[in-house]
Amino acid sequence: MSVSQDNSRPMMSRRSVLRVAGAAGAVGVGTVAAGAGAAPALAAPGKADGAFAHPGLLHTQADFDRMAVKVKAGAGRWKPGYAKLAANPRSAGTWKAQPLATVVRGGAGDNVTTLAFDVAAAYQNALRWRISGDTAHADAARDILNAWSAKLTHLDGSADRFIAAGIHGYQFANAAEIMRGYEGFDLARFQKMMVDVFYSMSSDFLTRHNGAYESNYWSSWDLLSVACVLSVGILCDDRSKVDEAVTYFKSGKGMGSIKNAIPILHPGGLGQMVEVGRDQGHALLSVGLLGTICETAWNQGIDLYGYDDNRVLKGVEYAAKWNQGFDVPFTSWTWHKGAPGAWEGWETFTKPSTWARGNVRPIWESLYNHYVNRRGLEAPYVTAMAAKVRPEGGGGDYGTGGGLDHLGFGTLTFTRPRAIVSVATPAPSDSAGGNPSGGGSSSAAPDAGASGGVEPHGGTGTDLAATGAGGIAAFAGAGVLALAGGLIALRRRNTGGS
């Protein structure tokens, strides 16, 4: 008889009861695929002298070389993957930036979509240039980056401004990393903007959590901040920032550190993700951010994919299984929410949420291609999800809500031949040809009507960590405080009420 392992931090209730489960009926996640051979545990290789590899965020030079060769040949999955990129309106070489001095997310004057579209256009044009060699796309990407670094000074709004900093911070850094060294691109000015505007907010969030309890914010808030800190650190060749991100991922106190984001391990290689109990839009946002962080770190010689016995794999397999319509084991846990001196509460989760179950996001190819094709491990549910979404789009192809949370186009950028990486094999050396075998698919249908989006937690949208709340001013007179894009009630003084 196997017992679930509870690795929860203090935010998990001591009243949580470990579920006793029988032997797993599914294929064990993390086992070596048949015929692959057992690859040794490794610290993903980086440059021997300890310097940062460039380009080296989500994509390396070997990745660009592979994409260029495969797209030119019209080979395999790269052909529809590139077609998906080229068809997106933000991939046009004629795109013109609309820079703002202040970007607002949440509340009055919300204009974050302007930034989001320009970031997507910069990344997509940079990618098209690297693959096609067409300098019209390089010029477009350069001009977008230069326009924003010349004007943007501030992120504002509700506490959702931290989401804007994290999401668009890591995305902007990726576009700039691709354009590093291109004629006319002012990298130094762009780096300064990234540190002053994006990194500063993301780092502050990981340190202070906007004044709330460390357990108040769900894992996606921490993970998007980690993604930003990590990406800006590499873009700026700043080892301390990279160390800050990696340390938080491994041992941070908030919900986004890996043992808090995936606190409970079940038999069969499944790791219970906390956001699966919340709603599937946010759960899959966390899945995508985990892939982003791990792939970025891998390209600098840091193996977070394999950290703590492939804990990320166990968590994303759990989310993938649930979102394909299968049952998953669930151990009850209690969430501690609120802010010191303002309000606090506890909420117990007893089952996975069905809200937005089956949500489609372009997040699976990086995970599939790492665990299955690069490492030779079994990942049956991730494999099925990658096959379902393939070819992945991006840049608003999935709407302007969650559809701009991820850079996307992973079928083009992450598809790689199966070649098991050993300790001695540098990560950039896997650009040689070959068309990977197709993944399986699930016959189980997700819940009918699942169309994406996120649940306002508790059904009211008023919890401290709920996102997308309205303006702050309208609530000030009602004795509430806007935090984390949500609202908490403040105790009124001299009224005898609460």
Side-chain angles (χ1 to χ4, degrees), residues 335-383:
W335 174 38
H336 181 206
K337 53 189 175 179
W343 175 87
E344 68 179 329
W346 291 263
E347 185 173 354
T348 298
F349 294 81
T350 60
K351 60 184 179 181
S353 172
T354 59
W355 188 275
R357 193 179 185 190
N359 183 234
V360 175
R361 289 181 178 234
I363 58 177
W364 300 102
E365 292 281 28
S366 62
L367 295 158
Y368 163 73
N369 278 282
H370 175 79
Y371 286 116
V372 177
N373 285 343
R374 186 189 270 152
R375 296 292 290 123
L377 304 177
E378 295 280 2
Y381 300 107
V382 166
T383 296

Side-chain angles (χ1 to χ4, degrees), residues 27-290:
V27 176
V29 179
T31 58
V32 178
L42 58 87
K47 297 182 72 174
D49 62 2
F52 290 101
H54 296 295
L57 289 184
L58 283 175
H59 316 303
T60 67
Q61 187 58 49
D63 294 331
F64 293 127
D65 292 344
R66 179 183 66 248
M67 286 183 259
V69 169
K70 296 299 186 181
V71 169
K72 184 176 181 180
R77 295 175 187 158
W78 294 274
K79 181 178 179 180
Y82 188 76
K84 195 80 171 178
L85 171 66
N88 187 281
R90 277 155 285 285
S91 296
T94 55
W95 187 274
K96 300 299 181 185
Q98 300 183 58
L100 302 166
T102 299
V103 168
V104 178
R105 172 162 175 159
D110 190 304
N111 59 6
V112 72
T113 303
T114 300
L115 170 64
F117 280 154
D118 274 2
V119 172
Y123 170 75
Q124 290 166 212
N125 273 283
L127 195 56
R128 289 193 71 180
W129 165 59
R130 283 284 192 166
I131 295 169
S132 71
D134 186 344
T135 57
H137 293 294
D139 291 347
R142 174 199 62 200
D143 293 347
I144 295 167
L145 299 175
N146 283 344
W148 278 91
S149 68
K151 192 164 186 177
L152 180 64
T153 60
H154 188 57
L155 297 176
D156 206 343
S158 71
D160 280 11
R161 66 191 183 277
F162 293 106
I163 299 177
I167 292 289
H168 305 304
Y170 92 76
Q171 293 176 341
F172 237 163
N174 268 274
E177 179 73 1
I178 298 173
M179 297 306 299
R180 179 187 290 269
Y182 187 72
E183 183 178 1
F185 173 41
D186 194 337
L187 176 61
R189 189 176 72 193
F190 193 88
Q191 289 170 323
K192 184 177 187 302
M193 177 194 72
M194 293 303 298
V195 172
D196 292 349
V197 178
F198 294 92
Y199 163 80
S200 60
M201 289 192 66
S202 292
S203 178
D204 181 73
F205 181 82
L206 293 175
T207 301
R208 300 192 303 126
H209 286 96
N210 198 30
Y213 291 114
E214 288 163 338
S215 58
N216 174 76
Y217 289 88
W218 293 86
S219 64
S220 53
W221 289 76
D222 274 359
L223 290 171
L224 58 87
S225 299
V226 169
C228 178
V229 171
L230 177 63
S231 299
V232 173
I234 295 167
L235 179 71
C236 297
D237 290 293
D238 189 328
R239 180 66 60 183
S240 66
K241 290 179 174 56
V242 173
D243 290 345
E244 176 186 355
V246 171
T247 298
Y248 196 94
F249 179 91
K250 292 181 176 180
S251 59
K253 294 182 179 180
M255 296 276 271
S257 64
I258 194 61
K259 291 185 181 179
N260 292 340
I262 308 170
I264 299 163
L265 301 182
H266 294 283
L270 296 176
Q272 182 174 316
M273 294 184 67
V274 292
E275 296 255 27
V276 170
R278 178 191 186 190
D279 64 63
Q280 301 319 303
H282 285 107
L284 298 188
L285 171 58
S286 291
V287 168
L289 291 167
L290 286 170

Side-chain angles (χ1 to χ4, degrees), residues 279-479:
D279 64 63
Q280 301 319 303
H282 285 107
L284 298 188
L285 171 58
S286 291
V287 168
L289 291 167
L290 286 170
T292 293
I293 292 165
C294 291
E295 185 68 15
T296 301
W298 176 272
N299 287 334
Q300 295 298 333
I302 305 165
D303 186 12
L304 299 182
Y305 277 119
Y307 180 71
D308 196 28
D309 192 26
N310 294 311
R311 197 179 194 94
V312 167
L313 174 58
K314 295 168 185 175
V316 298
E317 275 285 280
Y318 182 91
K321 184 175 183 179
W322 176 250
N323 278 278
Q324 286 171 77
F326 297 107
D327 290 336
V328 292
F330 194 91
T331 296
S332 297
W333 64 277
T334 298
W335 174 38
H336 181 206
K337 53 189 175 179
W343 175 87
E344 68 179 329
W346 291 263
E347 185 173 354
T348 298
F349 294 81
T350 60
K351 60 184 179 181
S353 172
T354 59
W355 188 275
R357 193 179 185 190
N359 183 234
V360 175
R361 289 181 178 234
I363 58 177
W364 300 102
E365 292 281 28
S366 62
L367 295 158
Y368 163 73
N369 278 282
H370 175 79
Y371 286 116
V372 177
N373 285 343
R374 186 189 270 152
R375 296 292 290 123
L377 304 177
E378 295 280 2
Y381 300 107
V382 166
T383 296
M385 287 298 282
K388 176 183 178 181
V389 179
R390 187 177 293 136
E392 288 182 355
D397 284 340
Y398 305 89
T400 58
L404 292 169
D405 291 340
H406 316 281
L407 288 169
F409 305 106
T411 304
L412 168 67
T413 58
F414 298 119
T415 294
R416 64 185 68 251
R418 181 172 294 203
I420 309 308
V421 175
S422 67
V423 174
T425 305
S429 70
D430 57 6
S431 61
N435 189 25
S437 59
S441 62
S442 168
S443 59
D447 290 356
S451 58
V454 294
E455 178 183 18
H457 188 70
T460 65
T462 58
D463 282 319
L464 184 60
T467 61
I472 296 173
F475 299 96

